[in-house]
Amino acid sequence: MSYTKSMFDSIKKTLQENGKRGNSNFKDFLKLSPGNTYLVRLLPNINKPEDTFFHYYHYGWNSISTGQYVEALSPKTWGDPDPIEGERIKLYRNKSDKHAIDLARNISTKEKWLVNVYVIDDPTNSENNGTVKVLRYGSQLSKIINSAIDGEDADEFGPAIFDLSENGCNLKIRVESTKEGKDTRAFVNYTSSRFARASAIPNMTAEKTKEVLDSLHDLTNYFPRKSPAELKEMLAVHLYGKNNDSEGTEFL
C-alpha cells in the first residue's frame, strides 16, 4: 500500500483530534460504572430550552490505516444527507461479498443523547458531588426520561425532573451488568433506573441554584461536525486504507 502525503496528513489530523478530545472534552462526562447507583438532577437550559438535550447519531470503527479508533457524528444529527450511512447500505447490498459485509459490520452505529446534570451522589468519585456534569445515555434511559416528560409518567413527574427546589425529582441511575443467553460478554443495563419522589437537594440555596444553572456545559461542543467531504475522506483512509484526493470518489 502506498501512503501519500495527503493520506498521511489525514491520519495525523485524526490522531491529533482524538488526542485533544481525550485530554479535555470528556472530563466533563459523568462516568457510569456497573454495580453502582448514581443520583442526579437533570438541568434545563433556561436561556435556550430547545438545547437542553443534544440528540445525536454516532459512527466509529478501528482505522485500517492507523489501528486507532476513529469516530464522527452522522449528519442525520442535523437532518442532513449521510455519506457513511449510504456507504454502509451499499456494502450490505453486496451479500455475496464477505469482505464488503465485514466492512459494513465494522462500522458501529449508536444513537445517543447528552444532558447536563447536577450530581448529588457519585459513589465512584465523590469529587463529582455538587458539580455539573454531562450525562451521556442511550435508548434505555431515554425511554425513562421521555416517559417522565411527555409519556405515561408525565402526570407524576413532568417539569419536576428539572426543578432544583424541594419540589424536584432526582433521577436514580442504576447501572447493572448482565449477560444474555450463552453470550459470555457482559452488557450494561439501565432499565432499573427511575425518577424518585420529590426531595430537597442538600445545601441547594437560591444562590447555588443560579450558580448551577450558569455552569451548564455547551452540549454541541463535544463532537466536531464534519463536512460530507471530510466524511468521505474518513471512509477512504480509515475504512478502505486508500487516498481520497478526488472529490466524489466512489468506494464501490
Side-chain angles (χ1 to χ4, degrees), residues 127-145:
E127 292 183 1
N128 287 334
N129 296 344
T131 67
V132 176
K133 289 290 182 180
V134 175
L135 174 65
R136 173 167 52 181
Y137 62 94
S139 59
Q140 291 178 346
L141 282 180
S142 176
K143 290 178 182 178
I144 294 168
I145 293 172

Side-chain angles (χ1 to χ4, degrees), residues 10-185:
S10 175
I11 292 171
K12 182 169 67 174
K13 178 182 177 183
T14 300
L15 289 176
Q16 290 171 342
E17 289 177 350
N18 287 346
K20 290 176 182 176
R21 289 198 297 273
N23 290 334
S24 57
N25 281 354
F26 294 107
K27 73 180 188 302
D28 299 332
F29 282 46
L30 180 63
K31 184 178 180 181
L32 304 176
S33 299
N36 294 283
T37 299
Y38 300 78
L39 203 61
V40 302
R41 188 76 56 97
L42 303 190
L43 298 174
N45 188 323
I46 58 175
N47 295 318
K48 296 186 68 177
E50 65 274 16
D51 289 343
T52 293
F53 295 97
F54 180 61
H55 177 205
Y56 67 94
Y57 299 89
H58 175 272
Y59 295 118
W61 67 88
N62 289 324
S63 169
I64 193 174
S65 300
T66 68
Q68 299 289 323
Y69 187 76
V70 296
E71 58 187 346
L73 291 200
S74 164
K76 288 191 300 183
T77 299
W78 301 278
D80 296 332
D82 185 341
I84 294 182
E85 179 64 17
E87 193 65 17
R88 286 181 74 246
I89 292 171
K90 287 196 291 184
L91 287 167
Y92 272 123
R93 283 176 178 164
N94 285 357
K95 297 179 180 179
S96 61
D97 187 340
K98 182 178 182 302
H99 178 62
I101 298 299
D102 286 343
L103 283 177
R105 287 174 176 166
N106 282 342
I107 304 174
S108 85
T109 63
K110 297 177 181 178
E111 183 180 11
K112 294 286 185 179
W113 290 259
L114 302 179
V115 65
N116 281 281
V117 296
Y118 180 78
V119 182
I120 299 169
D121 183 33
D122 179 345
T124 58
N125 185 359
S126 60
E127 292 183 1
N128 287 334
N129 296 344
T131 67
V132 176
K133 289 290 182 180
V134 175
L135 174 65
R136 173 167 52 181
Y137 62 94
S139 59
Q140 291 178 346
L141 282 180
S142 176
K143 290 178 182 178
I144 294 168
I145 293 172
N146 288 347
S147 178
I149 293 174
D150 64 357
E152 61 182 23
D153 295 325
D155 288 342
E156 180 179 0
F157 298 110
I161 68 173
F162 299 108
D163 190 341
L164 287 171
S165 77
E166 67 276 7
N167 299 316
C169 300
N170 298 328
L171 175 60
K172 186 177 288 188
I173 305 172
R174 205 163 271 155
V175 190
E176 299 171 318
S177 182
T178 60
K179 293 183 180 180
E180 299 180 0
K182 297 180 180 179
D183 200 325
T184 58
R185 297 173 299 171

Side-chain angles (χ1 to χ4, degrees), residues 213-231:
L213 294 176
D214 287 341
S215 302
L216 301 190
H217 303 286
D218 184 346
L219 302 178
T220 65
N221 268 350
Y222 294 102
F223 301 100
R225 183 172 180 174
K226 294 183 181 292
S227 68
E230 288 175 314
L231 292 173

